[in-house]
């Protein structure tokens, strides 16, 4: 497997970076461009920006902030939020994004995955999956950027990731909602089950709070590990985290 990736996640609302716990009670944590610059300088491998209310509000992304980010960083970044057509995906890529991440729009119309993959390549299509543990079952949730709009999609997570990768998704970001923001560790068992179910890279997301949590995700087979709180609040400096992971025998870009 190639070097593992450390990926800060930036939830965006009204052009500002915010962070919640279990997808609720978001707090403002700063300017979007300032965060992008800091993570570039600290050695993040990639970034992902989620406009968390776009899908629930039925609108597309603000291309303006994509352009501002692309002007100042030279590391890959993905964008997500309300991308419902090839034309909207093209606008984001032309503005400077490297990947398109789709979640609720793909659940609304799964054909969208293949349309974007055929237009720009599977490597450009990231499927975001907001997975909620409901007893023994993991179910995909939709419109999670709005508490009022959040609902069950009617799909089981493993069924959905198999279908989506079959349609052309080239990467999965697995957001384990029960663990989000609580810093108790990734849901390793669920992450490993998704990794076993697909043949594309899987990014672990939800629950990182300590270096050992990242190690556990990588040892389970994750291609990357996504986190927000520990990076936004400067709890885990990215250079120190990479040094720790390298000392554990995990290949990192440094």
């Amino acid at each position: 497997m190639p070097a593992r990736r450390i990926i800060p996640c930036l939830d965006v609302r009204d052009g500002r970076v915010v962070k919640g716990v279990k997808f609720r009670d978001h707090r403002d944590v700063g300017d979007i461009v300032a965060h992008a610059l800091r993570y570039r300088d600290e050695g993040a491998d990639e970034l992902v920006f989620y406009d968390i209310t776009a899908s629930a509000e039925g609108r597309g992304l603000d291309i303006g902030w994509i352009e501002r980010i692309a002007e100042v960083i030279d590391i890959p970044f993905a964008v997500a939020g309300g991308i419902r057509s090839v034309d909207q995906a093209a606008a984001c890529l032309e503005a400077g994004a490297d990947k398109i991440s789709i979640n609720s729009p793909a659940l609304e119309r799964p054909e969208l995955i293949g349309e974007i993959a055929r237009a720009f390549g599977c490597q450009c299509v990231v499927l975001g999956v907001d997975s909620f543990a409901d007893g023994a079952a993991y179910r995909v949730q939709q419109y999670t950027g709005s508490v009022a709009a959040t609902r069950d999609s009617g799909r089981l997570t493993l069924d959905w990731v198999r279908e989506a990768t079959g349609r052309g998704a080239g990467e999965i970001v697995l957001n384990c909602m029960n663990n989000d923001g609580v810093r108790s560790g990734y849901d390793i068992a669920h992450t490993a089950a998704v990794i076993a179910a697909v043949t594309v890279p899987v990014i672990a997301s939800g629950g990182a709070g300590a270096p050992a949590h990242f190690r556990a995700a990588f040892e389970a087979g994750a291609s990357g590990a996504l986190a927000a709180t520990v990076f936004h609040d400067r709890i885990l400096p990215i250079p120190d985290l990479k040094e720790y992971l390298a000392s554990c025998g995990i290949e990192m870009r440094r």
Side-chain angles (χ1 to χ4, degrees), residues 114-203:
E115 292 167 3
I116 297 176
R118 286 189 294 274
F120 307 111
C122 295
Q123 81 289 341
C124 190
V125 184
V126 181
L127 182 78
V129 181
D130 295 334
S131 187
F132 181 78
D134 182 10
Y138 284 86
R139 306 184 63 85
V140 182
Q141 305 299 296
Q142 196 168 1
Y143 308 127
T144 55
S146 165
V147 174
T150 298
R151 66 177 178 85
D152 187 274
S153 70
R155 294 175 178 270
L156 295 174
T157 300
L158 293 184
D159 291 343
W160 176 229
V161 297
R162 292 187 186 104
E163 177 183 344
T165 53
R167 289 179 178 273
E171 186 169 273
I172 303 289
V173 173
L174 178 66
N175 304 309
C176 296
M177 295 180 67
N178 304 74
N179 295 44
D180 178 70
V182 300
R183 294 166 46 196
S184 60
Y186 297 106
D187 185 334
I188 297 301
H190 186 39
T191 301
V194 170
I195 291 168
V198 300
T199 59
V200 303
V202 175
I203 309 301

Side-chain angles (χ1 to χ4, degrees), residues 237-250 252 254:
I238 291 175
D240 294 351
L241 175 60
K242 286 191 169 186
E243 288 292 338
Y244 164 78
L245 292 167
S247 75
C248 297
I250 297 168
M252 305 300 301
R254 289 187 287 176

Side-chain angles (χ1 to χ4, degrees), residues 9 181 201:
C9 167

Side-chain angles (χ1 to χ4, degrees), residues 17-162:
V17 180
V18 298
K19 184 66 188 81
V21 176
K22 297 185 178 182
F23 290 56
R24 296 169 178 263
D25 303 321
H26 291 88
R27 59 187 170 92
D28 187 295
V29 295
D31 177 72
I32 189 171
V33 173
H35 274 279
L37 285 168
R38 175 163 75 88
Y39 290 133
R40 177 204 65 183
D41 293 344
E42 289 181 359
D45 297 298
E46 297 180 16
L47 299 175
V48 59
F49 298 87
Y50 294 118
D51 185 326
I52 61 172
T53 59
S55 289
E57 293 175 354
R59 60 174 175 79
L61 286 174
D62 177 357
I63 298 300
W65 61 255
I66 300 176
E67 292 174 336
R68 293 199 304 275
I69 292 163
E71 287 175 356
V72 299
I73 67 171
D74 55 2
I75 59 175
F77 70 95
V79 296
I83 300 170
R84 290 182 165 87
S85 70
V86 170
D87 286 347
Q88 287 179 316
C92 293
L93 296 171
E94 290 168 3
D98 298 277
K99 299 178 184 179
I100 299 301
S101 182
I102 50 177
N103 187 332
S104 294
L107 291 162
E108 294 168 358
R109 192 171 68 85
E111 295 81 8
L112 177 64
I113 299 169
E115 292 167 3
I116 297 176
R118 286 189 294 274
F120 307 111
C122 295
Q123 81 289 341
C124 190
V125 184
V126 181
L127 182 78
V129 181
D130 295 334
S131 187
F132 181 78
D134 182 10
Y138 284 86
R139 306 184 63 85
V140 182
Q141 305 299 296
Q142 196 168 1
Y143 308 127
T144 55
S146 165
V147 174
T150 298
R151 66 177 178 85
D152 187 274
S153 70
R155 294 175 178 270
L156 295 174
T157 300
L158 293 184
D159 291 343
W160 176 229
V161 297
R162 292 187 186 104

